[in-house]
Amino acid sequence: MDKKNIINLVDKVINKCGTRNPYKIAKQLGIDIIYVGFKKQKGVYKIIKRNRFIFLSTNLDEIMQKIVLFHEIGHDLLHRDVASKIGIFQEFNLFNYRSSRMEYEANMFAAEISLPTDAIMEYIELGYTSEQIATNMQTDINLVALKLDILREQGYKLNRQDYSNKFLKG
């Protein structure tokens, strides 16, 4: 799915659910969240007998739980057909989008739904750095950098951003 379609999908989800809260979105979409004490994994999306689940690590702080939850919701909305065939998405590095098109798409979904363009642009106009934006929006700098790259590709005059491919590793 291309960026434009993901952005349109995010708009539809926000309009349908009336929120950007990942817990409320998951509930409204009929996705059950199960908390698991994973040692290394942060989250897993799985379909079991037509029921959709996100297994979310209890070992994450609140900010990271939301990011992982958005990412897994992205898999549900973008890749449910694949998940129903393979049963489970393997552990992956959230921002290692070069390893998989599906991971990149789920990351884009997470960045787009969690970081409203108008809020990002307001911070930029105030002269905030990516790090300051991440702090103020209570998210990770890598998610902000990905969102800024999406905005650049939409025609906004922004500098290219670097982000870590090992952001959620172990």
Side-chain angles (χ1 to χ4, degrees):
M1 183 172 277
D2 66 21
K3 287 178 181 75
K4 185 177 180 180
N5 289 334
I6 292 173
I7 291 165
N8 290 337
L9 176 62
V10 165
D11 290 341
K12 287 178 186 176
V13 170
I14 292 168
N15 288 333
K16 176 182 179 178
C17 297
T19 184
R20 288 181 186 265
N21 180 310
Y23 302 96
K24 291 179 181 179
I25 291 171
K27 184 175 182 173
Q28 288 188 37
L29 295 177
I31 305 167
D32 292 316
I33 301 171
I34 308 292
Y35 295 91
V36 180
F38 290 134
K39 298 278 187 221
K40 292 184 179 180
Q41 285 183 295
K42 290 162 181 54
V44 174
Y45 173 70
K46 184 169 177 70
I47 298 173
I48 304 170
K49 295 185 179 183
R50 296 187 187 171
N51 297 300
R52 295 148 38 221
F53 297 93
I54 293 174
F55 296 92
L56 192 60
S57 176
T58 56
N59 298 318
L60 302 174
D61 63 40
E62 183 180 338
I63 292 170
M64 192 54 61
Q65 274 193 358
K66 287 180 180 179
I67 293 170
V68 172
L69 190 51
F70 275 130
H71 179 94
E72 300 301 342
I73 291 169
H75 277 309
D76 175 74
L77 295 170
L78 298 165
H79 311 124
R80 190 179 314 158
D81 57 331
V82 175
S84 65
K85 291 176 187 169
I86 63 173
I88 191 169
F89 280 100
Q90 299 297 316
E91 167 74 24
F92 48 80
N93 185 351
L94 257 184
F95 288 92
N96 190 3
Y97 64 87
R98 292 182 180 106
S99 67
S100 168
R101 176 190 56 81
M102 288 189 296
E103 295 314 314
Y104 179 64
E105 291 171 351
N107 290 340
M108 282 183 14
F109 179 88
E112 190 63 30
I113 197 163
S114 66
L115 302 171
T117 298
D118 57 346
I120 293 283
M121 294 309 296
E122 186 175 324
Y123 283 120
I124 290 170
E125 289 168 11
L126 292 171
Y128 282 51
T129 65
S130 295
E131 186 174 338
Q132 291 169 322
I133 294 170
T135 299
N136 281 287
M137 295 187 79
Q138 297 184 329
T139 192
D140 187 271
I141 190 170
N142 293 288
L143 203 62
V144 171
L146 181 56
K147 173 67 177 193
L148 293 176
D149 277 352
I150 292 168
L151 291 173
R152 263 187 52 256
E153 291 182 27
Q154 290 179 311
Y156 289 87
K157 304 292 186 214
L158 303 169
N159 293 329
R160 179 133 181 94
Q161 301 295 308
D162 292 323
Y163 38 94
S164 172
N165 284 334
K166 296 182 180 179
F167 168 60
L168 290 180
K169 192 70 176 166

